[in-house]
Amino acid sequence: MTRGVGISQIEGARVFREAWIEGVHRHFPGEPKPGYVAPWEDTPQWEREAADAVYEQVRQFIELSDGHTSKLSREQKGRFVAVCWTAQMFKHFEDPKPGYVADWPDLPAWQQETDADIFEVIEKS
């Protein structure tokens, strides 16, 4: 797997995780579950690996599009993150919880907005 110039595997995964946490704080109604905003050090290994994989998929998509992903809508950006994440849930769990693999229309609005934020953070990194 190739990496963007200057971004290591761990740094890419952390960019993803930090964007998730910021998005949850911005969009989640009320008090989020502790696991939603747990710091990197407390993030399970499977979730770190999934964060890295999705970061890398988004980064490559942006790179292979010559940066034209900036023309995508926020919904399109969020959908891309969501489908990449869903694939990781199937990779890491034999029988994932339905909420882990929900299709875009079934995701809560806060999660849709957070996924779009993640894409845009990666786009800027």
Side-chain angles (χ1 to χ4, degrees):
M1 198 183 306
T2 60
R3 292 276 154 201
V5 177
I7 300 270
S8 72
Q9 183 172 0
I10 292 172
E11 289 170 343
R14 286 181 77 130
V15 165
F16 180 97
R17 180 68 184 167
E18 289 167 12
W20 166 263
I21 291 169
E22 287 175 21
V24 169
H25 282 304
R26 187 176 305 113
H27 303 292
F28 190 87
E31 187 67 29
K33 296 178 186 177
Y36 286 177
V37 293
W40 179 255
E41 296 73 28
D42 298 334
T43 303
Q45 186 61 34
W46 71 263
E47 196 167 352
R48 291 178 183 204
E49 291 171 12
D52 177 60
V54 177
Y55 173 89
E56 187 60 19
Q57 287 176 295
V58 173
R59 188 200 63 76
Q60 286 183 12
F61 181 53
I62 294 164
E63 183 180 308
L64 293 171
S65 302
D66 288 333
H68 289 91
T69 54
S70 63
K71 296 178 181 178
L72 297 175
S73 68
R74 275 187 55 83
E75 181 177 330
Q76 289 170 320
K77 292 173 181 184
R79 280 180 179 266
F80 187 79
V81 170
V83 77
C84 291
W85 186 261
T86 297
Q88 288 299 306
M89 294 307 92
F90 285 120
K91 175 183 176 185
H92 289 279
F93 299 100
E94 190 166 318
D95 188 23
K97 295 177 186 178
Y100 284 5
V101 294
D103 198 15
W104 181 260
D106 301 322
L107 292 176
W110 70 265
Q111 192 169 345
Q112 292 176 347
E113 290 298 322
T114 298
D115 286 349
D117 287 355
I118 290 167
F119 191 105
E120 290 177 347
V121 165
I122 296 169
E123 224 172 8
K124 294 172 186 165
S125 69

